[in-house]
Amino acid sequence: YYGGPTSVTDAQWNTKFEVPYAGLGFQFYSVLGNHDYGGHYDTATAAIEVAYTAYSSKWYMPARYYTEPIGDVTVLALDTQSMQLGHGADQDAWISSAVAAISTTWTIAIGHHPYISNGPHGNAGEFDGMAGEGQPMKDFFDAYICGVADVYLAGHDHALQWMDVPSGCATEFIVAGGGGAGTYPIVGTNPALYEDSNNGFLWVEIDGRQFTGVFYDETGAELYRRVFTK
């Protein structure tokens, strides 16, 4: 942030990732966002983040989009920046076979841009209040993610939101974008179970057929908890 790394040896890897998370012993399943593409669509910058997987024991992004089974969960990682800018034909060709191969109890999709959000960026198909902005992403989600992924985790809007399950799309949509760089106000009117412009993070536990998600603020105080089963 702001413009992505310049190489796999860029000092930002240490200052912004390796050192801050040194005390955590698990992998980070990463996806590309607008800033990881240099703020727009710099594919060379994005490729550096994929390549860094070979240099780190924590960072995991084997491709721009991928699936990864982890116990009872499959992570379905998407490149929404390519998608929403109209460069998603390869993902369109990949997604059906990728989903068909999933055999785990849970499918958790992850991507940078939200499908629905009450932050200032808004919903796919009308990002930033512009009709048609991000329409390829909306079309992709309507066709391949709604009702297929149990949960979709996104960021982009710097806020914490747990949206009400939208009509016609049996997927839980969570925006956990409160990781830093200031917060964004809540301005939209999509039905939401919880929404606030706090800095903070989402903690998730999956136990059998039960999903527990908790929003915490930057001090570790609990803000909102939701438990559901499938």
Side-chain angles (χ1 to χ4, degrees):
Y1 195 87
Y2 180 82
T6 59
S7 72
V8 293
T9 58
D10 192 317
Q12 293 183 88
W13 288 113
N14 280 326
T15 59
K16 297 179 180 179
F17 180 70
E18 299 290 352
V19 171
Y21 300 119
L24 301 179
F26 47 75
Q27 282 190 319
F28 284 63
Y29 296 90
S30 305
V31 291
L32 295 162
N34 51 319
H35 295 289
D36 303 292
Y37 272 103
H40 186 62
Y41 197 62
D42 184 343
T43 56
T45 299
I48 291 167
E49 299 204 11
V50 173
Y52 189 68
T53 300
Y55 292 79
S56 173
S57 61
K58 280 194 176 69
W59 181 270
Y60 187 76
M61 190 195 294
R64 294 189 296 109
Y65 47 87
Y66 58 94
T67 60
E68 185 71 22
I70 310 166
D72 289 338
V73 178
T74 292
V75 173
L76 176 59
L78 304 172
D79 177 3
T80 58
Q81 180 70 356
S82 289
M83 197 184 296
Q84 69 121 345
L85 291 177
H87 300 286
D90 52 346
Q91 277 181 99
D92 290 340
W94 163 83
I95 187 65
S96 292
S97 59
V99 167
I102 295 173
S103 60
T104 52
T105 303
W106 293 87
T107 298
I108 309 297
I110 59 175
H112 183 74
H113 298 79
Y115 174 73
I116 49 174
S117 171
N118 286 333
H121 289 303
N123 302 334
E126 53 184 16
F127 284 141
D128 304 312
M130 299 172 61
E133 181 70 18
Q135 189 64 40
M137 178 182 164
K138 183 179 187 310
D139 292 344
F140 183 97
F141 272 62
D142 289 345
Y144 302 116
I145 302 303
C146 281
V148 173
D150 300 293
V151 179
Y152 175 61
L153 304 177
H156 198 47
D157 274 328
H158 300 182
L160 304 177
Q161 305 174 67
W162 198 313
M163 314 309 295
D164 203 356
V165 176
S167 176
C169 185
T171 296
E172 300 262 346
F173 290 98
I174 304 172
V175 181
T183 57
Y184 290 178
I186 300 297
V187 297
T189 58
N190 296 296
L193 301 173
Y194 176 83
E195 54 187 2
D196 206 330
S197 58
N198 282 316
N199 282 127
F201 62 96
L202 173 73
W203 174 86
V204 168
E205 180 180 69
I206 295 175
D207 183 4
R209 303 189 74 85
Q210 180 173 283
F211 181 105
T212 301
V214 184
F215 279 134
Y216 292 93
D217 71 13
E218 58 192 319
T219 72
E222 183 173 325
L223 299 172
Y224 176 76
R225 175 182 295 257
R226 174 163 163 75
V227 180
F228 65 90
T229 58
K230 63 167 296 185

